[in-house]
Amino acid sequence: MRRPDHPTTTRPPVTEGGPEDGPPSAGGGPPSAGGGPPSAGGGPPSAGGGPPEAEPGSRQPGLRPADGTTGLRPADGVTADAVLAPYLQGQAGDFLRSLRLHREHSAPSDANGQGAEAAARALRRSARRISGSLHTFRTVLDPVWADHLRTELAWLSGTLAREHAYAGRLTRLLEALHQLSGAALPAARGTKPTATKSGGAGGSGAGAGPAPDAQGRAALGVGAARAGALLERQLTLARTRAHSAALQALGSSRFHAVADAVALLASDVPLAPGTTGRGAEALLEPAERAEQRLIGAVAALPPDASAEPYNEAQDAPWHQTRLLLRLHRYAHEVVLGAADPVLTGAGHALDLHRDAAEAAAAAAAAARTPRIAPATAYALGVLHADQRHEVEAARAVFRETWPYATAMTAP
């Protein structure tokens, strides 16, 4: 695993996505690769068991610094199963504890539902890490078992994440709409602010109407309330349906089979033949591949010069990079015992990018609602433009915080 102060090489990006959670589409369709917008560091850890989140600079037992400055590497005599198995078993234990807490807080006596929501986040967090590790380290695990379990965990985490995604998207849009309705409207790209007309050489002040910006502010003030009500109605309905789908999934035989498989994982990790006794270096090759896929995906991102702010088709490679970054983070946790702290800022920027892009898509979908008032459509259009500006801002922050500077220029 390289550190950011060392040179890196790039490879062509891959198109395969890891078994990660992705956001549901703006119109309430099925989620891509399974689910919602967890934060850059994952959900809050569940109480008890499993390997705790290590502080930056801490070391997992059995790992030591390598000669030179390339960071931690497995110590002599440590086997791959001695590193990977405890990690997967710890995450499985967290999964089971979160499931128990979710059932306890889902009782009718828990009126506020906050306990159930926190348990669901912890459940998704463990499911993502197990699924991502099964994807990255498939070569040292039983491949049939690993492929099946990670597919089922991706389904579960995605189903559980959709409700949270819709709730967060609604909150984001309503807050943005409130801020826009009380502030000056953003100027269109490539144009200068229009000056207020006044009497003089340019014309008569008495015959001049209100400035375009004033007209826009008035129209936005009229349409903002209706736009907010429309968004709340649409996204609340989508959230309710996602909640029902989650409850149905948690009561299904498919979910019980997943829970049984994770319970078995907590006590036994099926390894590939010949893996037992192999050195921990066997984990470095798949971890390096995950890192190279990430670096290649970043190198292939469209440069700023060719960026088109309102071209949603350019969002896809950024979303793919976010998934690959999370896979790299999980691999780093397995091999080195903790997430790489230098990637925290970049991961957070990609989370904000995803949230803003999905919020913009939701505003655009609401604007296509038949028979809405022109003022409502105008407010939704301004809201869409605001969120696309947020997309651009998140991309700029990512480029500033990405530690591998040599990978930012595509070959």
Side-chain angles (χ1 to χ4, degrees):
M1 308 287 283
R2 294 183 178 83
R3 306 302 301 173
D5 56 349
H6 282 260
T8 59
T9 57
T10 60
R11 297 179 185 175
V14 296
T15 57
E16 66 174 331
E20 297 296 300
D21 295 346
S25 59
S32 60
S39 64
S46 57
E53 297 286 342
E55 295 294 331
S58 62
R59 292 182 293 173
Q60 179 177 332
L63 298 176
R64 61 173 173 80
D67 295 331
T69 57
T70 55
L72 299 176
R73 294 183 66 85
D76 296 336
V78 178
T79 60
D81 53 306
V83 175
L84 180 59
Y87 179 85
L88 290 175
Q89 290 171 341
Q91 294 299 329
D94 283 349
F95 180 97
L96 298 174
R97 277 183 289 274
S98 302
L99 177 58
R100 185 186 69 248
L101 290 174
H102 187 273
R103 288 172 175 170
E104 292 175 355
H105 290 290
S106 296
S109 58
D110 187 9
N112 56 22
Q114 293 181 356
E117 183 177 349
R121 287 196 301 268
L123 192 66
R124 297 198 312 270
R125 175 185 181 275
S126 299
R128 288 195 306 268
R129 280 162 170 76
I130 296 173
S131 182
S133 300
L134 296 180
H135 175 80
T136 300
F137 300 104
R138 180 179 181 272
T139 55
V140 297
L141 298 165
D142 181 338
V144 176
W145 167 82
D147 290 345
H148 175 73
L149 182 56
R150 72 183 179 90
T151 300
E152 295 302 287
L153 288 172
W155 161 77
L156 175 62
S157 61
T159 302
L160 296 179
R162 289 170 60 194
E163 179 183 0
H164 176 74
Y166 287 124
R169 192 170 304 152
L170 176 60
T171 300
R172 180 186 183 91
L173 287 170
L174 293 182
E175 289 179 351
L177 196 59
H178 175 73
Q179 293 175 358
L180 288 170
S181 62
L185 297 180
R189 290 188 166 273
T191 63
K192 297 181 179 179
T194 304
T196 303
K197 295 181 181 180
S198 60
S204 170
D213 184 67
Q215 292 177 337
R217 285 174 55 84
L220 182 59
V222 172
R226 293 182 179 179
L230 176 61
L231 288 168
E232 186 165 9
R233 186 165 59 250
Q234 291 183 346
L235 292 176
T236 299
L237 176 61
R239 179 185 180 183
T240 301
R241 290 174 175 171
H243 179 73
S244 299
L247 292 179
Q248 184 177 4
L250 291 174
S252 66
S253 58
R254 183 179 182 181
F255 169 74
H256 289 296
V258 174
D260 290 343
V262 175
L264 292 175
L265 175 62
S267 59
D268 178 53
V269 178
L271 300 171
T275 299
T276 303
R278 290 179 62 187
E281 287 79 6
L283 300 177
L284 292 179
E285 183 178 353
E288 287 284 348
R289 285 199 300 268
E291 183 182 50
Q292 288 300 319
R293 285 196 295 268
L294 169 63
I295 293 174
V298 174
L301 289 174
D304 290 336
S306 65
E308 299 176 7
Y310 299 99
N311 184 359
E312 283 79 1
Q314 292 186 346
D315 295 342
W318 289 89
H319 295 331
Q320 176 72 3
T321 300
R322 174 180 173 271
L323 300 182
L324 293 175
L325 175 58
R326 291 174 65 174
L327 282 178
H328 168 65
R329 288 180 54 249
Y330 299 158
H332 201 283
E333 289 181 5
V334 172
V335 176
L336 302 182
D340 190 349
V342 302
L343 291 176
T344 299
H348 183 60
L350 290 178
D351 286 339
L352 292 178
H353 176 275
R354 188 277 312 273
D355 292 344
E358 293 297 332
R368 291 191 291 269
T369 303
R371 297 184 298 277
I372 60 174
T376 305
Y378 175 76
L380 290 170
V382 172
L383 182 60
H384 173 266
D386 173 74
Q387 293 303 301
R388 292 307 303 181
H389 283 295
E390 292 294 325
V391 168
E392 278 194 286
R395 292 177 181 178
V397 171
F398 174 80
R399 294 185 185 279
E400 293 173 358
T401 56
W402 176 248
Y404 300 101
T406 57
M408 292 302 296
T409 303

